[in-house]
Amino acid sequence: MIYADNAATTKISESAFKKMLPYLKDQYGNASSQYAIGMHAKDAIEHARQQAANAIGANPFEIIFTSGGSEANNWIFRSVSEMYPNQAIHLITSSIEHHSVLNTCHALEASGIEITYLPVNQKGVIAMNDLQTAIKPNTKLVSLMLANNEIGTIQPIAEIGKFLHGRDILFHTDAVQAVGHIPINVNELQVDFLSASAHKFNGAKGTGFLYKNSAQKILPMIYGGSQELGFRAGTENVAGIVALGYALEENIAAMQATASLLKILVDQTIKGILEKLPFVSMNGDYEKRLPGTVNLRFEGISGESLMHLLDLKGICVSTSSACNAGNDAPSHVLLALGQSEEQAKSAIRISYGRYNTLEEVDIIIENICNACNKILHTIKK
């Protein structure tokens, strides 16, 4: 099998896996217990909290562990909406956000909250003028993803943070695709909240974190005990949190080398496919994007058919976000770029990770070309 869908999830790193194992078997104590085995679990959590903080330039008391990015994204929107009862408030996001943001916004709209969805250009980037125009006196939150999960485009979050600073508007970024892959410093970005998910940077599924600027307030996600600084009650997923910390630390240490490798893999993929298939084009921004993600449009070919043919050869790619897999609707991200439904349905996403090789790229190129020729031959019949 050749796995090239790392934007959907990543293989857990061997070292992170080994680090988490003791907390599944021998060191299984409850981190809230006062005896040695419980205190050892508590220490492990706090060590991971420091590791996560170091990775994004935060303080450890600004890191709250969650079940993943979707929970953190939901939490921010629902908390802000509940902090202003009986008030007409306005929130801003973009048209290409993850469904955990968009569907939360739709639910909030049903309750009477006004939401503005900023458009993007053909490369998937929002315009500062559109953001500035959208702000109203009752705007309480702006939430924009740092890097898009389908096309890899990176938004100018630092520029937006600088603009919003001092305006009494909370700023959140969904950085699930970015954390562990590109340099991030929350102080440089000037964000109040940031979401991350461990399984996107070679950690375990079911664990993530929310960065919360210590100067900002937020309502608890779960009421109960005092776990997670009093914001998220419930016995912690110690093993998952430990894996998160070590996987992130490992990715940060190897970030520059990994990014260089991924850029080579992506450039070779684009070059190899476009040379052999002139009807293929790239979606998104070629320069301002994640190093390992490329979204390609195969004009006149079903992306879903192409994906399944590749799957038969043991190659894993996707047609859209994993959260929208199995849905026949075209990608909302590609539609937002101005593409037709037919164009949006003709795309596949290839997302490489630290374990991919140039040899795999050659196999992917060969199989994509063969699959396209097979589909075109079938269409002509």
Side-chain angles (χ1 to χ4, degrees), residues 260-281:
S260 297
L261 168 65
L262 296 180
K263 187 178 187 306
I264 292 171
L265 300 183
V266 166
D267 288 347
Q268 183 65 27
T269 301
I270 295 171
K271 181 175 181 290
I273 293 176
L274 268 58
E275 281 181 351
K276 297 179 180 180
L277 302 174
F279 52 84
V280 179
S281 56

Side-chain angles (χ1 to χ4, degrees), residues 44-251:
I45 290 174
E46 295 313 312
H47 181 67
R49 202 184 307 279
Q50 183 67 64
Q51 289 171 310
N54 292 343
I56 61 170
N59 293 307
F61 52 82
E62 296 177 312
I63 302 295
I64 307 167
F65 291 116
T66 67
S67 66
S70 290
E71 178 187 315
N73 290 342
N74 271 257
W75 186 359
I76 292 303
F77 276 89
R78 299 177 79 88
S79 178
V80 170
S81 67
E82 292 171 8
M83 286 167 61
Y84 301 93
N86 304 317
Q87 291 187 41
I89 66 171
H90 173 239
L91 312 178
I92 297 174
T93 188
S94 85
S95 57
I96 63 169
E97 297 296 310
H98 188 266
H99 284 97
S100 61
V101 168
L102 295 178
N103 288 341
T104 302
C105 287
H106 297 331
L108 293 177
E109 283 181 303
S111 67
I113 291 175
E114 183 184 5
I115 312 282
T116 294
Y117 301 90
L118 298 177
V120 294
N121 62 20
Q122 290 184 338
K123 294 183 177 181
V125 182
I126 69 164
M128 281 295 299
N129 287 341
D130 288 334
L131 173 61
Q132 294 167 3
T133 302
I135 290 176
K136 300 181 178 184
N138 64 336
T139 301
K140 301 300 182 184
L141 172 72
V142 172
S143 177
L144 300 168
M145 66 191 338
L146 179 50
N148 185 263
N149 52 307
E150 291 192 29
I151 58 176
T153 298
I154 296 173
Q155 300 293 345
I157 297 299
E159 181 184 356
I160 295 167
K162 182 178 180 180
F163 168 74
L164 291 174
H165 186 70
R167 293 179 180 271
D168 197 29
I169 299 173
L170 295 172
F171 187 26
H172 164 254
T173 186
D174 171 357
V176 164
Q177 292 290 332
V179 171
H181 301 289
I182 60 175
I184 293 176
N185 184 294
V186 291
N187 297 302
E188 294 175 1
L189 295 179
Q190 297 193 55
V191 293
D192 298 301
F193 307 103
L194 177 148
S195 304
S197 189
H199 77 105
K200 303 294 187 179
F201 51 77
N202 305 101
K205 295 178 181 64
T207 317
F209 68 85
L210 173 71
Y211 157 77
K212 182 192 79 69
N213 186 303
S214 59
Q216 302 300 341
K217 295 181 180 179
I218 189 174
L219 297 178
M221 177 64 189
I222 302 173
Y223 291 92
S226 59
Q227 294 93 344
E228 287 312 294
L229 314 177
F231 291 107
R232 189 180 187 274
T235 303
E236 302 92 338
N237 176 6
V238 181
I241 290 171
V242 168
L244 179 155
Y246 282 101
L248 185 51
E249 186 175 70
E250 187 178 42
N251 269 23

Side-chain angles (χ1 to χ4, degrees), residues 284-301:
D285 194 310
Y286 183 78
E287 297 296 334
K288 298 176 182 178
R289 61 177 170 82
L290 294 170
T293 299
V294 60
N295 192 297
L296 299 172
R297 185 171 76 246
F298 295 76
E299 207 72 45
I301 289 178

